[in-house]
Amino acid sequence: MSAEIEKKMAPVHIPVIAIDGPSGSGKGTIAHRVATRLGFHVLDSGALYRLLGAAAQRHAVAVDNEAALEVLAAHLDVQFLVDDQGEAQILLEGEDVTNAIRTEEAGRAASQVAALPRVRSALLARQQAFREVPGLVADGRDMGTVVFPAADLKIFLTASAEARAERRYRQLLEKGFDASLAALVEDIQARDDRDTQRSIAPLKPADTALVLDSTDLGIDAVVQRVFDAASAVPALAKYL
Ligand code: DC
């Protein structure tokens, strides 16, 4: 076979940027900004765990019933859409749950089901399937360590628990939800503990991750640092 044909048959490299970090670190916003600039897809992996938590509630499955949750995860009927106004819309079994899965209660259920190894395996291939041309920005806790260990760029975004709780507080008020700042700090700390201490795929920076602390950095500054890092990676630089 000629070198020319061999080159044409070689699998196309689909670049991935993994953005991991704790709840409220701004991963979602940063992931969307970076993806928009590069023209890449986005995987909001936390939404999948939130959806599973919601499905568990809907089907009266306890958040520690690993066998039943594994089945539910394997058959999770979800759709990630964009509505007429260009806003992201998430359907669970055909029903719009875009806002319902963003409550603190949904986050807590997500963190509980996410601690179960068989649930994580059942969702692995579904997450990896988001890697489509031209590329993917994957947002979560274990994107750079487990789901996309060969990601072209790994970012670990963090911020103090207080700063994250305050951001969450403002977001919830803006969306018209009731919220208590003190309760949010407590909740964020409990969720951090559960996410970092679980035995499987705990929240931690990948060895080669660029760690960014956004406590005192605005969104634009964080996005700029991600672009600076991306510009040093040939597979990504061509999209900038
Ligand atoms: O990013 P988020 O707050 O929407 O995530 C909700 C929960 O899902 C989080 O507390 C832990 C879990 N999660 C996870 O274990 N692994 C991921 N890749 C993403 C989220």
Side-chain angles (χ1 to χ4, degrees), residues 13-20 27 30-31 33-43 131 134-140 143-144 148 150-156 210 223 225-231 233 235-237 239-240:
H13 174 70
I14 305 176
V16 177
I17 299 180
I19 304 185
D20 289 304
K27 289 172 290 129
I30 304 297
R33 291 272 294 269
V34 171
T36 301
R37 163 93 183 261
L38 299 172
F40 282 12
H41 302 278
V42 177
L43 163 61
R131 184 178 184 187
L136 176 69
V137 180
D139 151 4
M143 299 296 101
F148 300 107
D152 300 80
L153 177 62
K154 299 179 185 182
I155 305 288
F156 191 83
L210 167 67
V223 169
R225 291 200 190 184
V226 176
F227 289 148
D228 290 346
S231 66
V233 179
L236 298 170
Y239 295 97
L240 284 168

mmCIF file of all heavy atoms in Angstrom, residues 13-20 27 30-31 33-43 131 134-140 143-144 148 150-156 210 223 225-231 233 235-237 239-240:
data_model
loop_
_atom_site.group_PDB
_atom_site.id
_atom_site.type_symbol
_atom_site.label_atom_id
_atom_site.label_comp_id
_atom_site.label_asym_id
_atom_site.label_seq_id
_atom_site.Cartn_x
_atom_site.Cartn_y
_atom_site.Cartn_z
ATOM 1 N N HIS A 13 -7.336 11.986 14.119
ATOM 2 C CA HIS A 13 -7.189 12.289 15.540
ATOM 3 C C HIS A 13 -8.231 13.339 15.930
ATOM 4 O O HIS A 13 -8.288 14.418 15.345
ATOM 5 C CB HIS A 13 -5.782 12.821 15.844
ATOM 6 C CG HIS A 13 -5.643 13.267 17.265
ATOM 7 N ND1 HIS A 13 -5.633 12.379 18.318
ATOM 8 C CD2 HIS A 13 -5.555 14.498 17.827
ATOM 9 C CE1 HIS A 13 -5.537 13.046 19.462
ATOM 10 N NE2 HIS A 13 -5.482 14.344 19.192
ATOM 11 N N ILE A 14 -9.088 12.992 16.880
ATOM 12 C CA ILE A 14 -10.102 13.947 17.349
ATOM 13 C C ILE A 14 -9.631 14.490 18.698
ATOM 14 O O ILE A 14 -9.631 13.765 19.699
ATOM 15 C CB ILE A 14 -11.484 13.274 17.495
ATOM 16 C CG1 ILE A 14 -11.873 12.614 16.170
ATOM 17 C CG2 ILE A 14 -12.520 14.289 17.948
ATOM 18 C CD1 ILE A 14 -13.176 11.830 16.226
ATOM 19 N N PRO A 15 -9.196 15.746 18.724
ATOM 20 C CA PRO A 15 -8.630 16.266 19.973
ATOM 21 C C PRO A 15 -9.650 16.445 21.090
ATOM 22 O O PRO A 15 -10.836 16.698 20.846
ATOM 23 C CB PRO A 15 -8.030 17.612 19.566
ATOM 24 C CG PRO A 15 -8.670 17.975 18.287
ATOM 25 C CD PRO A 15 -9.152 16.725 17.630
ATOM 26 N N VAL A 16 -9.161 16.288 22.303
ATOM 27 C CA VAL A 16 -10.002 16.444 23.499
ATOM 28 C C VAL A 16 -9.312 17.382 24.488
ATOM 29 O O VAL A 16 -8.108 17.263 24.720
ATOM 30 C CB VAL A 16 -10.220 15.082 24.210
ATOM 31 C CG1 VAL A 16 -11.025 15.268 25.497
ATOM 32 C CG2 VAL A 16 -10.927 14.094 23.300
ATOM 33 N N ILE A 17 -10.085 18.311 25.029
ATOM 34 C CA ILE A 17 -9.603 19.115 26.157
ATOM 35 C C ILE A 17 -10.418 18.660 27.368
ATOM 36 O O ILE A 17 -11.654 18.710 27.357
ATOM 37 C CB ILE A 17 -9.823 20.629 25.934
ATOM 38 C CG1 ILE A 17 -9.052 21.094 24.694
ATOM 39 C CG2 ILE A 17 -9.398 21.429 27.173
ATOM 40 C CD1 ILE A 17 -9.209 22.583 24.390
ATOM 41 N N ALA A 18 -9.739 18.169 28.393
ATOM 42 C CA ALA A 18 -10.425 17.721 29.615
ATOM 43 C C ALA A 18 -10.375 18.840 30.638
ATOM 44 O O ALA A 18 -9.302 19.382 30.911
ATOM 45 C CB ALA A 18 -9.718 16.477 30.157
ATOM 46 N N ILE A 19 -11.544 19.200 31.157
ATOM 47 C CA ILE A 19 -11.581 20.229 32.209
ATOM 48 C C ILE A 19 -12.239 19.610 33.433
ATOM 49 O O ILE A 19 -13.439 19.337 33.433
ATOM 50 C CB ILE A 19 -12.346 21.498 31.750
ATOM 51 C CG1 ILE A 19 -11.728 22.041 30.451
ATOM 52 C CG2 ILE A 19 -12.315 22.562 32.853
ATOM 53 C CD1 ILE A 19 -12.329 23.361 29.969
ATOM 54 N N ASP A 20 -11.431 19.333 34.443
ATOM 55 C CA ASP A 20 -11.952 18.729 35.666
ATOM 56 C C ASP A 20 -11.866 19.719 36.813
ATOM 57 O O ASP A 20 -11.086 20.676 36.779
ATOM 58 C CB ASP A 20 -11.133 17.473 36.008
ATOM 59 C CG ASP A 20 -11.406 16.339 35.032
ATOM 60 O OD1 ASP A 20 -12.583 15.977 34.884
ATOM 61 O OD2 ASP A 20 -10.446 15.838 34.408
ATOM 62 N N LYS A 27 -16.234 25.277 35.748
ATOM 63 C CA LYS A 27 -15.896 24.402 34.614
ATOM 64 C C LYS A 27 -16.873 24.523 33.459
ATOM 65 O O LYS A 27 -16.466 24.580 32.312
ATOM 66 C CB LYS A 27 -15.926 22.923 35.038
ATOM 67 C CG LYS A 27 -14.835 22.485 35.928
ATOM 68 C CD LYS A 27 -15.131 21.079 36.409
ATOM 69 C CE LYS A 27 -16.265 21.096 37.348
ATOM 70 N NZ LYS A 27 -17.389 20.267 37.233
ATOM 71 N N ILE A 30 -16.458 27.787 31.535
ATOM 72 C CA ILE A 30 -15.172 27.793 30.817
ATOM 73 C C ILE A 30 -15.236 26.799 29.647
ATOM 74 O O ILE A 30 -14.816 27.117 28.527
ATOM 75 C CB ILE A 30 -14.006 27.401 31.776
ATOM 76 C CG1 ILE A 30 -13.965 28.328 32.998
ATOM 77 C CG2 ILE A 30 -12.667 27.364 31.040
ATOM 78 C CD1 ILE A 30 -13.703 29.765 32.740
ATOM 79 N N ALA A 31 -15.792 25.614 29.910
ATOM 80 C CA ALA A 31 -15.868 24.593 28.852
ATOM 81 C C ALA A 31 -16.647 25.132 27.649
ATOM 82 O O ALA A 31 -16.226 24.962 26.497
ATOM 83 C CB ALA A 31 -16.527 23.322 29.395
ATOM 84 N N ARG A 33 -17.166 28.299 26.782
ATOM 85 C CA ARG A 33 -16.439 29.386 26.108
ATOM 86 C C ARG A 33 -15.316 28.830 25.228
ATOM 87 O O ARG A 33 -15.115 29.271 24.095
ATOM 88 C CB ARG A 33 -15.854 30.347 27.167
ATOM 89 C CG ARG A 33 -16.918 31.150 27.920
ATOM 90 C CD ARG A 33 -17.246 32.449 27.188
ATOM 91 N NE ARG A 33 -16.104 33.333 27.197
ATOM 92 C CZ ARG A 33 -15.849 34.257 28.108
ATOM 93 N NH1 ARG A 33 -16.700 34.437 29.098
ATOM 94 N NH2 ARG A 33 -14.785 35.018 28.028
ATOM 95 N N VAL A 34 -14.593 27.874 25.773
ATOM 96 C CA VAL A 34 -13.469 27.294 25.022
ATOM 97 C C VAL A 34 -14.000 26.548 23.791
ATOM 98 O O VAL A 34 -13.489 26.703 22.679
ATOM 99 C CB VAL A 34 -12.644 26.353 25.941
ATOM 100 C CG1 VAL A 34 -11.614 25.572 25.143
ATOM 101 C CG2 VAL A 34 -11.967 27.166 27.054
ATOM 102 N N ALA A 35 -15.079 25.775 23.989
ATOM 103 C CA ALA A 35 -15.639 24.988 22.881
ATOM 104 C C ALA A 35 -16.168 25.898 21.777
ATOM 105 O O ALA A 35 -15.998 25.613 20.583
ATOM 106 C CB ALA A 35 -16.742 24.076 23.403
ATOM 107 N N THR A 36 -16.804 26.999 22.156
ATOM 108 C CA THR A 36 -17.363 27.910 21.149
ATOM 109 C C THR A 36 -16.243 28.478 20.279
ATOM 110 O O THR A 36 -16.332 28.503 19.049
ATOM 111 C CB THR A 36 -18.138 29.058 21.846
ATOM 112 O OG1 THR A 36 -19.171 28.457 22.621
ATOM 113 C CG2 THR A 36 -18.740 30.025 20.854
ATOM 114 N N ARG A 37 -15.167 28.903 20.942
ATOM 115 C CA ARG A 37 -14.051 29.482 20.180
ATOM 116 C C ARG A 37 -13.414 28.462 19.225
ATOM 117 O O ARG A 37 -13.060 28.781 18.093
ATOM 118 C CB ARG A 37 -13.015 30.014 21.188
ATOM 119 C CG ARG A 37 -11.647 30.272 20.650
ATOM 120 C CD ARG A 37 -11.464 31.729 20.196
ATOM 121 N NE ARG A 37 -10.165 31.931 19.612
ATOM 122 C CZ ARG A 37 -9.128 32.459 20.251
ATOM 123 N NH1 ARG A 37 -9.257 32.841 21.504
ATOM 124 N NH2 ARG A 37 -7.979 32.617 19.631
ATOM 125 N N LEU A 38 -13.300 27.216 19.681
ATOM 126 C CA LEU A 38 -12.655 26.193 18.849
ATOM 127 C C LEU A 38 -13.614 25.520 17.878
ATOM 128 O O LEU A 38 -13.195 24.813 16.967
ATOM 129 C CB LEU A 38 -12.023 25.117 19.745
ATOM 130 C CG LEU A 38 -10.923 25.574 20.710
ATOM 131 C CD1 LEU A 38 -10.544 24.442 21.649
ATOM 132 C CD2 LEU A 38 -9.700 26.029 19.952
ATOM 133 N N GLY A 39 -14.918 25.704 18.104
ATOM 134 C CA GLY A 39 -15.913 25.006 17.275
ATOM 135 C C GLY A 39 -16.050 23.548 17.680
ATOM 136 O O GLY A 39 -16.438 22.694 16.877
ATOM 137 N N PHE A 40 -15.740 23.233 18.956
ATOM 138 C CA PHE A 40 -15.766 21.848 19.440
ATOM 139 C C PHE A 40 -17.109 21.516 20.100
ATOM 140 O O PHE A 40 -17.861 22.397 20.493
ATOM 141 C CB PHE A 40 -14.659 21.636 20.488
ATOM 142 C CG PHE A 40 -13.268 21.455 19.921
ATOM 143 C CD1 PHE A 40 -12.996 21.730 18.593
ATOM 144 C CD2 PHE A 40 -12.225 21.012 20.725
ATOM 145 C CE1 PHE A 40 -11.713 21.559 18.063
ATOM 146 C CE2 PHE A 40 -10.946 20.837 20.218
ATOM 147 C CZ PHE A 40 -10.687 21.115 18.881
ATOM 148 N N HIS A 41 -17.363 20.229 20.281
ATOM 149 C CA HIS A 41 -18.522 19.759 21.043
ATOM 150 C C HIS A 41 -18.207 19.880 22.537
ATOM 151 O O HIS A 41 -17.044 20.003 22.918
ATOM 152 C CB HIS A 41 -18.813 18.289 20.719
ATOM 153 C CG HIS A 41 -19.058 18.050 19.267
ATOM 154 N ND1 HIS A 41 -20.273 18.274 18.684
ATOM 155 C CD2 HIS A 41 -18.230 17.634 18.276
ATOM 156 C CE1 HIS A 41 -20.190 17.995 17.397
ATOM 157 N NE2 HIS A 41 -18.960 17.610 17.120
ATOM 158 N N VAL A 42 -19.269 19.783 23.353
ATOM 159 C CA VAL A 42 -19.086 19.828 24.808
ATOM 160 C C VAL A 42 -19.713 18.579 25.423
ATOM 161 O O VAL A 42 -20.812 18.176 25.040
ATOM 162 C CB VAL A 42 -19.788 21.067 25.422
ATOM 163 C CG1 VAL A 42 -19.653 21.048 26.948
ATOM 164 C CG2 VAL A 42 -19.208 22.353 24.879
ATOM 165 N N LEU A 43 -19.008 17.983 26.371
ATOM 166 C CA LEU A 43 -19.611 16.931 27.193
ATOM 167 C C LEU A 43 -19.738 17.473 28.608
ATOM 168 O O LEU A 43 -18.729 17.819 29.234
ATOM 169 C CB LEU A 43 -18.719 15.671 27.202
ATOM 170 C CG LEU A 43 -19.024 14.668 28.335
ATOM 171 C CD1 LEU A 43 -20.440 14.126 28.233
ATOM 172 C CD2 LEU A 43 -18.013 13.516 28.322
ATOM 173 N N ARG A 131 -16.979 12.203 21.797
ATOM 174 C CA ARG A 131 -15.766 12.619 21.088
ATOM 175 C C ARG A 131 -16.002 12.491 19.587
ATOM 176 O O ARG A 131 -15.863 11.425 19.007
ATOM 177 C CB ARG A 131 -14.600 11.733 21.525
ATOM 178 C CG ARG A 131 -13.295 12.154 20.917
ATOM 179 C CD ARG A 131 -12.198 11.261 21.429
ATOM 180 N NE ARG A 131 -10.911 11.684 20.939
ATOM 181 C CZ ARG A 131 -9.795 11.014 21.123
ATOM 182 N NH1 ARG A 131 -9.807 9.895 21.809
ATOM 183 N NH2 ARG A 131 -8.660 11.473 20.633
ATOM 184 N N PRO A 134 -15.175 18.169 15.087
ATOM 185 C CA PRO A 134 -13.722 18.344 15.023
ATOM 186 C C PRO A 134 -13.011 18.130 16.362
ATOM 187 O O PRO A 134 -11.797 17.935 16.380
ATOM 188 C CB PRO A 134 -13.574 19.806 14.596
ATOM 189 C CG PRO A 134 -14.781 20.480 15.158
ATOM 190 C CD PRO A 134 -15.889 19.473 15.094
ATOM 191 N N GLY A 135 -13.743 18.108 17.491
ATOM 192 C CA GLY A 135 -13.075 17.924 18.777
ATOM 193 C C GLY A 135 -14.052 18.080 19.915
ATOM 194 O O GLY A 135 -15.235 18.369 19.716
ATOM 195 N N LEU A 136 -13.551 17.848 21.123
ATOM 196 C CA LEU A 136 -14.430 17.839 22.293
ATOM 197 C C LEU A 136 -13.794 18.558 23.478
ATOM 198 O O LEU A 136 -12.594 18.427 23.727
ATOM 199 C CB LEU A 136 -14.696 16.374 22.697
ATOM 200 C CG LEU A 136 -15.533 16.162 23.962
ATOM 201 C CD1 LEU A 136 -16.992 16.589 23.719
ATOM 202 C CD2 LEU A 136 -15.489 14.699 24.406
ATOM 203 N N VAL A 137 -14.634 19.318 24.185
ATOM 204 C CA VAL A 137 -14.233 19.847 25.487
ATOM 205 C C VAL A 137 -15.080 19.079 26.501
ATOM 206 O O VAL A 137 -16.311 19.132 26.453
ATOM 207 C CB VAL A 137 -14.495 21.366 25.602
ATOM 208 C CG1 VAL A 137 -14.065 21.857 26.981
ATOM 209 C CG2 VAL A 137 -13.749 22.131 24.511
ATOM 210 N N ALA A 138 -14.425 18.317 27.365
ATOM 211 C CA ALA A 138 -15.143 17.452 28.310
ATOM 212 C C ALA A 138 -15.004 18.001 29.715
ATOM 213 O O ALA A 138 -13.898 18.221 30.208
ATOM 214 C CB ALA A 138 -14.581 16.038 28.235
ATOM 215 N N ASP A 139 -16.160 18.201 30.343
ATOM 216 C CA ASP A 139 -16.206 18.834 31.669
ATOM 217 C C ASP A 139 -16.648 17.816 32.713
ATOM 218 O O ASP A 139 -17.644 17.120 32.512
ATOM 219 C CB ASP A 139 -17.173 20.031 31.516
ATOM 220 C CG ASP A 139 -17.932 20.442 32.763
ATOM 221 O OD1 ASP A 139 -17.710 19.887 33.847
ATOM 222 O OD2 ASP A 139 -18.769 21.353 32.633
ATOM 223 N N GLY A 140 -15.883 17.670 33.795
ATOM 224 C CA GLY A 140 -16.284 16.703 34.826
ATOM 225 C C GLY A 140 -15.330 16.603 35.986
ATOM 226 O O GLY A 140 -14.762 17.603 36.434
ATOM 227 N N MET A 143 -12.412 13.411 33.742
ATOM 228 C CA MET A 143 -12.236 13.446 32.283
ATOM 229 C C MET A 143 -10.779 13.164 31.907
ATOM 230 O O MET A 143 -10.503 12.366 31.010
ATOM 231 C CB MET A 143 -12.665 14.817 31.714
ATOM 232 C CG MET A 143 -14.118 15.156 31.954
ATOM 233 S SD MET A 143 -15.244 14.024 31.107
ATOM 234 C CE MET A 143 -15.730 12.950 32.400
ATOM 235 N N GLY A 144 -9.854 13.809 32.612
ATOM 236 C CA GLY A 144 -8.435 13.647 32.277
ATOM 237 C C GLY A 144 -7.806 12.408 32.897
ATOM 238 O O GLY A 144 -6.759 11.951 32.431
ATOM 239 N N PHE A 148 -10.937 10.233 29.397
ATOM 240 C CA PHE A 148 -10.064 10.574 28.255
ATOM 241 C C PHE A 148 -8.623 10.709 28.754
ATOM 242 O O PHE A 148 -8.058 11.810 28.760
ATOM 243 C CB PHE A 148 -10.534 11.886 27.604
ATOM 244 C CG PHE A 148 -11.938 11.834 27.076
ATOM 245 C CD1 PHE A 148 -12.968 12.504 27.727
ATOM 246 C CD2 PHE A 148 -12.251 11.096 25.937
ATOM 247 C CE1 PHE A 148 -14.276 12.451 27.251
ATOM 248 C CE2 PHE A 148 -13.558 11.033 25.459
ATOM 249 C CZ PHE A 148 -14.572 11.711 26.114
ATOM 250 N N ALA A 150 -5.935 10.102 27.418
ATOM 251 C CA ALA A 150 -4.971 10.593 26.431
ATOM 252 C C ALA A 150 -5.371 11.980 25.911
ATOM 253 O O ALA A 150 -4.979 12.374 24.815
ATOM 254 C CB ALA A 150 -4.867 9.602 25.278
ATOM 255 N N ALA A 151 -6.167 12.720 26.688
ATOM 256 C CA ALA A 151 -6.621 14.053 26.243
ATOM 257 C C ALA A 151 -5.428 14.924 25.847
ATOM 258 O O ALA A 151 -4.352 14.821 26.439
ATOM 259 C CB ALA A 151 -7.417 14.723 27.360
ATOM 260 N N ASP A 152 -5.640 15.768 24.850
ATOM 261 C CA ASP A 152 -4.564 16.616 24.335
ATOM 262 C C ASP A 152 -4.177 17.713 25.318
ATOM 263 O O ASP A 152 -3.049 18.193 25.310
ATOM 264 C CB ASP A 152 -4.999 17.243 23.003
ATOM 265 C CG ASP A 152 -5.302 16.172 21.983
ATOM 266 O OD1 ASP A 152 -6.408 15.585 22.029
ATOM 267 O OD2 ASP A 152 -4.401 15.877 21.170
ATOM 268 N N LEU A 153 -5.144 18.112 26.122
ATOM 269 C CA LEU A 153 -4.876 19.143 27.130
ATOM 270 C C LEU A 153 -5.747 18.841 28.337
ATOM 271 O O LEU A 153 -6.939 18.555 28.196
ATOM 272 C CB LEU A 153 -5.214 20.540 26.568
ATOM 273 C CG LEU A 153 -5.053 21.715 27.534
ATOM 274 C CD1 LEU A 153 -3.604 21.877 27.996
ATOM 275 C CD2 LEU A 153 -5.512 23.025 26.859
ATOM 276 N N LYS A 154 -5.133 18.877 29.523
ATOM 277 C CA LYS A 154 -5.888 18.599 30.756
ATOM 278 C C LYS A 154 -5.794 19.808 31.670
ATOM 279 O O LYS A 154 -4.689 20.264 31.981
ATOM 280 C CB LYS A 154 -5.315 17.368 31.455
ATOM 281 C CG LYS A 154 -5.401 16.111 30.615
ATOM 282 C CD LYS A 154 -4.813 14.913 31.329
ATOM 283 C CE LYS A 154 -4.807 13.687 30.408
ATOM 284 N NZ LYS A 154 -4.290 12.501 31.071
ATOM 285 N N ILE A 155 -6.961 20.288 32.064
ATOM 286 C CA ILE A 155 -7.033 21.452 32.949
ATOM 287 C C ILE A 155 -7.704 20.985 34.241
ATOM 288 O O ILE A 155 -8.701 20.256 34.198
ATOM 289 C CB ILE A 155 -7.917 22.568 32.331
ATOM 290 C CG1 ILE A 155 -7.439 22.957 30.925
ATOM 291 C CG2 ILE A 155 -8.029 23.774 33.257
ATOM 292 C CD1 ILE A 155 -6.161 23.727 30.856
ATOM 293 N N PHE A 156 -7.184 21.399 35.367
ATOM 294 C CA PHE A 156 -7.864 21.157 36.645
ATOM 295 C C PHE A 156 -8.197 22.527 37.216
ATOM 296 O O PHE A 156 -7.320 23.308 37.560
ATOM 297 C CB PHE A 156 -6.976 20.362 37.610
ATOM 298 C CG PHE A 156 -7.735 19.881 38.817
ATOM 299 C CD1 PHE A 156 -8.480 18.713 38.767
ATOM 300 C CD2 PHE A 156 -7.709 20.607 40.004
ATOM 301 C CE1 PHE A 156 -9.199 18.268 39.880
ATOM 302 C CE2 PHE A 156 -8.421 20.172 41.117
ATOM 303 C CZ PHE A 156 -9.163 18.996 41.047
ATOM 304 N N LEU A 210 -2.857 21.093 33.953
ATOM 305 C CA LEU A 210 -2.514 22.469 34.307
ATOM 306 C C LEU A 210 -3.531 22.875 35.372
ATOM 307 O O LEU A 210 -4.738 22.876 35.120
ATOM 308 C CB LEU A 210 -2.655 23.361 33.063
ATOM 309 C CG LEU A 210 -2.627 24.863 33.304
ATOM 310 C CD1 LEU A 210 -1.252 25.313 33.796
ATOM 311 C CD2 LEU A 210 -2.979 25.608 32.004
ATOM 312 N N VAL A 223 -10.151 31.650 30.788
ATOM 313 C CA VAL A 223 -10.274 31.214 29.385
ATOM 314 C C VAL A 223 -8.968 31.521 28.634
ATOM 315 O O VAL A 223 -8.463 30.693 27.870
ATOM 316 C CB VAL A 223 -11.481 31.908 28.700
ATOM 317 C CG1 VAL A 223 -11.477 31.678 27.206
ATOM 318 C CG2 VAL A 223 -12.783 31.388 29.302
ATOM 319 N N ARG A 225 -5.975 31.680 29.822
ATOM 320 C CA ARG A 225 -4.911 30.725 30.212
ATOM 321 C C ARG A 225 -5.106 29.369 29.523
ATOM 322 O O ARG A 225 -4.139 28.704 29.174
ATOM 323 C CB ARG A 225 -4.881 30.538 31.710
ATOM 324 C CG ARG A 225 -4.404 31.818 32.331
ATOM 325 C CD ARG A 225 -3.879 31.644 33.696
ATOM 326 N NE ARG A 225 -3.706 33.005 34.213
ATOM 327 C CZ ARG A 225 -3.190 33.299 35.355
ATOM 328 N NH1 ARG A 225 -2.777 32.339 36.126
ATOM 329 N NH2 ARG A 225 -3.074 34.553 35.736
ATOM 330 N N VAL A 226 -6.372 28.998 29.343
ATOM 331 C CA VAL A 226 -6.624 27.727 28.640
ATOM 332 C C VAL A 226 -6.160 27.867 27.179
ATOM 333 O O VAL A 226 -5.486 26.987 26.638
ATOM 334 C CB VAL A 226 -8.115 27.326 28.709
ATOM 335 C CG1 VAL A 226 -8.383 26.062 27.897
ATOM 336 C CG2 VAL A 226 -8.547 27.117 30.163
ATOM 337 N N PHE A 227 -6.465 29.007 26.560
ATOM 338 C CA PHE A 227 -6.038 29.211 25.163
ATOM 339 C C PHE A 227 -4.515 29.259 25.056
ATOM 340 O O PHE A 227 -3.938 28.736 24.111
ATOM 341 C CB PHE A 227 -6.637 30.493 24.591
ATOM 342 C CG PHE A 227 -8.120 30.388 24.342
ATOM 343 C CD1 PHE A 227 -8.937 31.493 24.460
ATOM 344 C CD2 PHE A 227 -8.690 29.182 23.985
ATOM 345 C CE1 PHE A 227 -10.298 31.396 24.230
ATOM 346 C CE2 PHE A 227 -10.064 29.072 23.758
ATOM 347 C CZ PHE A 227 -10.864 30.186 23.885
ATOM 348 N N ASP A 228 -3.866 29.898 26.037
ATOM 349 C CA ASP A 228 -2.400 29.949 26.019
ATOM 350 C C ASP A 228 -1.839 28.530 26.047
ATOM 351 O O ASP A 228 -0.915 28.197 25.301
ATOM 352 C CB ASP A 228 -1.860 30.726 27.233
ATOM 353 C CG ASP A 228 -2.171 32.220 27.128
ATOM 354 O OD1 ASP A 228 -2.559 32.664 26.022
ATOM 355 O OD2 ASP A 228 -2.045 32.927 28.149
ATOM 356 N N ALA A 229 -2.429 27.693 26.912
ATOM 357 C CA ALA A 229 -1.955 26.304 27.012
ATOM 358 C C ALA A 229 -2.267 25.552 25.717
ATOM 359 O O ALA A 229 -1.438 24.788 25.210
ATOM 360 C CB ALA A 229 -2.605 25.613 28.209
ATOM 361 N N ALA A 230 -3.469 25.804 25.150
ATOM 362 C CA ALA A 230 -3.870 25.101 23.914
ATOM 363 C C ALA A 230 -2.965 25.488 22.741
ATOM 364 O O ALA A 230 -2.689 24.662 21.864
ATOM 365 C CB ALA A 230 -5.328 25.412 23.587
ATOM 366 N N SER A 231 -2.495 26.726 22.754
ATOM 367 C CA SER A 231 -1.686 27.178 21.612
ATOM 368 C C SER A 231 -0.342 26.463 21.569
ATOM 369 O O SER A 231 0.328 26.443 20.534
ATOM 370 C CB SER A 231 -1.506 28.700 21.639
ATOM 371 O OG SER A 231 -0.742 29.039 22.762
ATOM 372 N N VAL A 233 -0.156 23.242 21.984
ATOM 373 C CA VAL A 233 -0.452 21.861 21.576
ATOM 374 C C VAL A 233 -0.845 21.875 20.093
ATOM 375 O O VAL A 233 -1.910 22.407 19.744
ATOM 376 C CB VAL A 233 -1.630 21.275 22.414
ATOM 377 C CG1 VAL A 233 -1.958 19.852 21.993
ATOM 378 C CG2 VAL A 233 -1.326 21.355 23.913
ATOM 379 N N ALA A 235 -2.197 19.880 17.973
ATOM 380 C CA ALA A 235 -3.520 19.356 17.590
ATOM 381 C C ALA A 235 -4.644 20.337 17.927
ATOM 382 O O ALA A 235 -5.740 20.240 17.387
ATOM 383 C CB ALA A 235 -3.777 18.028 18.298
ATOM 384 N N LEU A 236 -4.367 21.278 18.829
ATOM 385 C CA LEU A 236 -5.385 22.258 19.222
ATOM 386 C C LEU A 236 -5.124 23.624 18.612
ATOM 387 O O LEU A 236 -6.058 24.354 18.267
ATOM 388 C CB LEU A 236 -5.418 22.398 20.758
ATOM 389 C CG LEU A 236 -5.791 21.138 21.522
ATOM 390 C CD1 LEU A 236 -5.549 21.322 23.017
ATOM 391 C CD2 LEU A 236 -7.260 20.790 21.276
ATOM 392 N N ALA A 237 -3.845 23.963 18.483
ATOM 393 C CA ALA A 237 -3.460 25.319 18.043
ATOM 394 C C ALA A 237 -4.095 25.667 16.703
ATOM 395 O O ALA A 237 -4.493 26.819 16.477
ATOM 396 C CB ALA A 237 -1.940 25.420 17.955
ATOM 397 N N TYR A 239 -6.968 25.186 15.658
ATOM 398 C CA TYR A 239 -8.371 25.609 15.758
ATOM 399 C C TYR A 239 -8.520 26.988 16.400
ATOM 400 O O TYR A 239 -9.619 27.536 16.468
ATOM 401 C CB TYR A 239 -9.175 24.598 16.574
ATOM 402 C CG TYR A 239 -9.267 23.249 15.904
ATOM 403 C CD1 TYR A 239 -8.401 22.219 16.250
ATOM 404 C CD2 TYR A 239 -10.206 23.014 14.903
ATOM 405 C CE1 TYR A 239 -8.471 20.987 15.626
ATOM 406 C CE2 TYR A 239 -10.289 21.791 14.268
ATOM 407 C CZ TYR A 239 -9.423 20.777 14.639
ATOM 408 O OH TYR A 239 -9.489 19.565 14.014
ATOM 409 N N LEU A 240 -7.407 27.530 16.908
ATOM 410 C CA LEU A 240 -7.486 28.828 17.631
ATOM 411 C C LEU A 240 -7.528 30.012 16.677
ATOM 412 O O LEU A 240 -6.938 29.962 15.612
ATOM 413 C CB LEU A 240 -6.289 28.972 18.581
ATOM 414 C CG LEU A 240 -6.380 28.148 19.863
ATOM 415 C CD1 LEU A 240 -5.035 28.139 20.575
ATOM 416 C CD2 LEU A 240 -7.448 28.704 20.797
#
